[in-house]
Amino acid sequence: MRIISQDCRYDVPYEKVVLHIFYHKYEYEIGAYSLDTINKGEGYICMARYSTEEKVIKAMEMCLENYAAYEYNKNAISALIPGCMELPDEEIIRFKDKIIKKMCFLFPKDKEVEV
């Protein structure tokens, strides 16, 4: 799955980073560390900023839920592909669009997170 930073500047593979919550300059940040460099003490990429601890935790939960849906869809697609060929084109397009939405996660803006 791809995760995209709140400001759309970074697009990273979920499977190759560690996400961590920081309290920094009176707000909460979600930072992404590369698995390749985490033990070398290198910096992190700021993926999102939130005004409260509740919002940052909710955003992390949303990311996890999206990843769970991504994993489920990835496994289900291989089983469904033979049957998809019999569906009308409009149904295939709707199916594809719903699946694609779960292949990426864009961290929501602070005001978009409801707790």
Side-chain angles (χ1 to χ4, degrees), residues 64-79:
L64 178 59
E65 288 169 8
N66 204 84
Y67 182 69
Y70 162 78
E71 283 294 320
Y72 176 83
N73 289 336
K74 189 171 72 170
N75 293 323
I77 287 171
S78 60

Side-chain angles (χ1 to χ4, degrees), residues 23-28 50-52:
Y23 184 69
H24 181 68
K25 295 184 182 177
Y26 306 107
E27 62 186 356
Y28 293 87
Y50 296 98
S51 58
T52 67

Side-chain angles (χ1 to χ4, degrees), residues 83-101:
C84 287
M85 297 306 171
E86 299 169 15
L87 293 172
D89 288 345
E90 309 86 50
E91 289 296 318
I92 292 173
I93 290 169
R94 272 187 280 212
F95 176 74
K96 175 193 67 113
D97 290 345
K98 287 185 180 192
I99 296 296
I100 287 173
K101 288 180 183 176

Side-chain angles (χ1 to χ4, degrees), residues 18-22 29-33 44 60:
V18 173
L19 297 177
H20 182 72
I21 296 172
F22 297 93
E29 288 186 1
I30 296 175
Y33 286 96
Y44 66 92
M60 288 284 276

Side-chain angles (χ1 to χ4, degrees), residues 32-75:
Y33 286 96
S34 167
L35 288 177
D36 297 332
T37 62
I38 194 167
N39 292 329
K40 297 177 185 173
E42 294 186 15
Y44 66 92
I45 296 170
C46 179
M47 298 299 288
R49 290 188 171 102
Y50 296 98
S51 58
T52 67
E53 184 177 16
E54 292 80 12
K55 285 186 175 188
V56 76
I57 290 170
K58 177 68 175 178
M60 288 284 276
E61 289 172 353
M62 292 166 69
C63 185
L64 178 59
E65 288 169 8
N66 204 84
Y67 182 69
Y70 162 78
E71 283 294 320
Y72 176 83
N73 289 336
K74 189 171 72 170
N75 293 323

